[in-house]
Amino acid sequence: MFETSKLTEWLLSHGISQMVLELLIAMCIVATIVSIARYLVGSKTYGIFAPILLAIAYSYTGLKYGLAITLVVILTSLLSYSVLKKIRMHYITRIATNYTILSITLILFFVLIDQFGLGLENMSNIPPLAFISIATLSDFFIKQFVKKSLPSSLMSLFGTVVVAIVGWFVISREIISDYALNNLWIVPLLTAINILLGLFKGLRFKDYLRFRFTSREDGNK
């Protein structure tokens, strides 16, 4: 769509595959989206790695399949950990046991889809690494669940998935990916944007709405 830039051509001819370059650019874009969501909007996520991982995984699975797998992973993790936490055992072994239960559940999920379809007939075509990447969300969820309450963990989960969906939408647009691939100056620009976001001290949009709502309530008293 866009003419290949000389820098991109040079990189592609010096040991960097186009797929790797596209993934690195996508990582920069989604990381910046996470920063914007956190410091301008006020969204809470499971750090920065989880939304990046999910957004890139969704770009390979497709949003419908990605969200279906995410739902299975979270429900299984919640149920299995709720049972396992009643057993006195080491934390790592509890997490490892959770992953074995999750693996069994996902296998059964594949069998269920094969038998009944459920609108997910192409599930078997999902790249394995994308599938595993979504499954690792279990670890982020459980860590948050252990440290904080279930409502807090679910709020962070919601924020993580929403930001990942936004990231998926952006990086899966062909016009955006092609433009970024052939205009690599975008990467240092994103670096500068993140530095500026790191220096931002103003109110986040979420806080602004909360204060505005509070002031209205006080004014009505």
Side-chain angles (χ1 to χ4, degrees), residues 16-215:
I16 300 179
S17 69
Q18 182 171 328
M19 181 177 291
V20 169
L21 193 55
E22 288 176 346
L23 283 174
L24 291 174
I25 295 170
M27 181 175 66
C28 295
I29 293 173
V30 179
T32 305
I33 291 173
V34 176
S35 293
I36 292 171
R38 182 63 180 269
Y39 296 109
L40 293 186
V41 179
S43 299
K44 291 184 178 180
T45 62
Y46 294 150
I48 193 169
F49 181 63
I52 292 174
L53 199 63
L54 278 184
I56 293 176
Y58 290 166
S59 71
Y60 283 93
T61 64
L63 187 60
K64 179 175 70 172
Y65 292 95
L67 290 178
I69 298 169
T70 300
L71 180 62
V72 173
V73 168
I74 295 304
L75 289 178
T76 303
S77 300
L78 178 60
L79 292 174
S80 67
Y81 191 81
S82 297
V83 174
L84 291 172
K85 71 178 182 179
K86 298 177 181 179
I87 304 173
R88 296 189 63 181
M89 56 193 301
H90 297 297
Y91 174 76
I92 295 298
T93 56
R94 185 180 290 123
I95 299 299
T97 305
N98 174 73
Y99 270 115
T100 59
I101 294 172
L102 177 59
S103 297
I104 294 170
T105 304
L106 289 172
I107 290 171
L108 294 175
F109 179 60
F110 265 98
V111 173
L112 183 67
I113 295 302
D114 182 66
Q115 292 295 316
F116 301 102
L118 304 177
L120 300 169
E121 289 80 5
N122 294 321
M123 183 71 75
S124 59
N125 295 327
I126 292 176
L129 282 179
F131 192 85
I132 295 300
S133 296
I134 299 175
T136 59
L137 185 65
S138 173
D139 194 33
F140 294 99
F141 178 74
I142 289 177
K143 284 180 179 178
Q144 185 84 355
F145 186 26
V146 170
K147 293 179 180 179
K148 299 184 179 180
S149 63
L150 177 60
S152 175
S153 185
L154 290 175
M155 284 297 295
S156 295
L157 170 65
F158 178 76
T160 299
V161 173
V162 169
V163 172
I165 290 173
V166 174
W168 159 81
F169 180 82
V170 173
I171 65 176
S172 62
R173 302 307 98 182
E174 186 177 355
I175 188 171
I176 294 177
S177 61
D178 285 350
Y179 183 82
L181 182 64
N182 294 292
N183 292 272
L184 295 177
W185 54 265
I186 286 178
V187 175
L189 175 62
L190 293 175
T191 303
I193 290 173
N194 279 288
I195 292 173
L196 291 175
L197 286 170
L199 299 173
F200 179 70
K201 303 296 182 182
L203 278 178
R204 295 172 295 183
F205 183 68
K206 183 179 178 181
D207 296 329
Y208 171 76
L209 290 180
R210 186 173 70 247
F211 286 134
R212 186 174 181 181
F213 181 75
T214 303
S215 62

Side-chain angles (χ1 to χ4, degrees), residues 213-221:
F213 181 75
T214 303
S215 62
R216 281 186 177 181
E217 283 190 336
D218 293 339
N220 292 331
K221 289 181 180 179

